[in-house]
């Protein structure tokens, strides 16, 4: 189970830019000037009793609070700016679970914003498996790399010998 593909905008030191969802296009860090990720503006309508948990969900997903407004009765509207990569992972399921199906949302793309994105490479038996590489925000890199390694450990057939499973974040294994 690999993370969904999201487009990132890469600006190289020489001024060239590239929009890509392919981690293999990410060259060494010393050639990159900056990496930007796609953000959305999300409007969430929710009953008052779910405001706190939904706000916490948005903040845990690196959301940037914009506004909160009372609409009618006990219905409120929250607006956050959220990285698209965080939204597509499990946002819909989590918000429906928190609100017991009573929250709804709509979103629109608002463009690219600078983020601290790192590439994670997965190595099996000392060999780089490029198809398993993915991009993630630095704050979540260790946790998501560890999850992928654990899933691989559970998924790969047992061998008569040990097969090291490693995640490499930058130069750190």
């Amino acid at each position: 189970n690999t993370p969904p593909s999201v487009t990132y905008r890469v600006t190289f030191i020489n001024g060239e830019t590239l929009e890509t969802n392919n981690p293999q296009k990410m060259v060494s860090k010393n050639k990159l000037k900056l990496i930007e990720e796609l953000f959305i503006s999300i409007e969430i309508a929710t009953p008052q009793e779910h405001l706190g948990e939904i706000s916490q969900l948005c903040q845990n997903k690196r959301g940037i609070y914009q506004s909160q407004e009372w609409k009618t009765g006990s219905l409120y509207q929250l607006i956050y700016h959220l990285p698209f990569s965080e939204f597509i992972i499990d946002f819909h399921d989590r918000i429906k679970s928190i609100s017991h199906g009573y929250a709804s949302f709509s979103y629109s793309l608002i463009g690219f914003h600078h983020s601290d994105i790192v590439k994670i490479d997965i190595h099996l038996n000392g060999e780089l498996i490029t198809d398993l590489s993915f991009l993630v925000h630095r704050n979540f890199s260790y946790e998501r790399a560890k999850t992928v390694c654990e899933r691989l450990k559970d998924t790969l057939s047992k061998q008569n010998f040990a097969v090291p499973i490693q995640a490499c974040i930058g130069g750190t294994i």
Side-chain angles (χ1 to χ4, degrees), residues 28-41:
S28 64
K29 190 79 171 164
N30 62 355
K31 293 183 182 179
L32 299 177
K33 183 175 180 182
L34 67 101
I35 300 175
E36 298 171 292
E37 67 180 319
L38 193 56
F39 269 68
I40 62 170
S41 178

Side-chain angles (χ1 to χ4, degrees), residues 53-63 80 82-83 86 94 98 139-140 144:
E53 283 185 277
I54 290 175
S55 290
Q56 189 63 51
L57 170 65
C58 291
Q59 290 170 15
N60 291 346
K61 297 242 178 221
R62 297 187 294 122
Y80 273 86
L82 201 68
E86 295 295 328
R94 301 263 315 271
I98 288 169
N139 292 350
F140 300 132
R144 297 216 177 130

Side-chain angles (χ1 to χ4, degrees), residues 13-156:
I13 289 175
N14 67 7
E16 290 181 39
T17 61
L18 169 71
E19 287 186 15
T20 184
N21 61 1
N22 185 347
Q24 285 77 32
K25 300 266 182 170
M26 298 296 188
V27 294
S28 64
K29 190 79 171 164
N30 62 355
K31 293 183 182 179
L32 299 177
K33 183 175 180 182
L34 67 101
I35 300 175
E36 298 171 292
E37 67 180 319
L38 193 56
F39 269 68
I40 62 170
S41 178
I42 186 164
E43 295 179 7
I44 304 165
T46 182
Q48 181 179 5
E49 62 263 25
H50 306 299
L51 273 175
E53 283 185 277
I54 290 175
S55 290
Q56 189 63 51
L57 170 65
C58 291
Q59 290 170 15
N60 291 346
K61 297 242 178 221
R62 297 187 294 122
I64 303 163
Y65 174 81
Q66 299 299 307
S67 67
Q68 173 181 312
E69 183 181 335
W70 172 75
K71 285 297 185 184
T72 179
S74 69
L75 194 62
Y76 282 79
Q77 179 182 25
L78 284 170
I79 299 177
Y80 273 86
H81 289 174
L82 201 68
F84 191 58
S85 60
E86 295 295 328
F87 171 75
I88 63 172
I89 292 176
D90 63 355
F91 189 86
H92 179 267
D93 293 341
R94 301 263 315 271
I95 201 166
K96 292 300 180 182
S97 174
I98 288 169
S99 70
H100 308 289
Y102 286 104
S104 63
F105 61 85
S106 64
Y107 70 91
S108 59
L109 300 176
I110 57 172
F112 289 92
H113 297 283
H114 179 262
S115 288
D116 191 7
I117 301 297
V118 295
K119 177 181 170 188
I120 297 181
D121 289 317
I122 303 297
H123 296 257
L124 295 177
N125 206 22
E127 228 176 282
L128 172 64
I129 310 300
T130 57
D131 290 342
L132 295 178
S133 296
F134 60 98
L135 302 171
V136 66
H137 192 274
R138 185 176 306 279
N139 292 350
F140 300 132
S141 60
Y142 179 81
E143 175 187 311
R144 297 216 177 130
K146 184 177 177 194
T147 299
V148 168
C149 289
E150 288 169 349
R151 285 184 181 162
L152 282 169
K153 179 183 172 224
D154 295 339
T155 304
L156 294 175

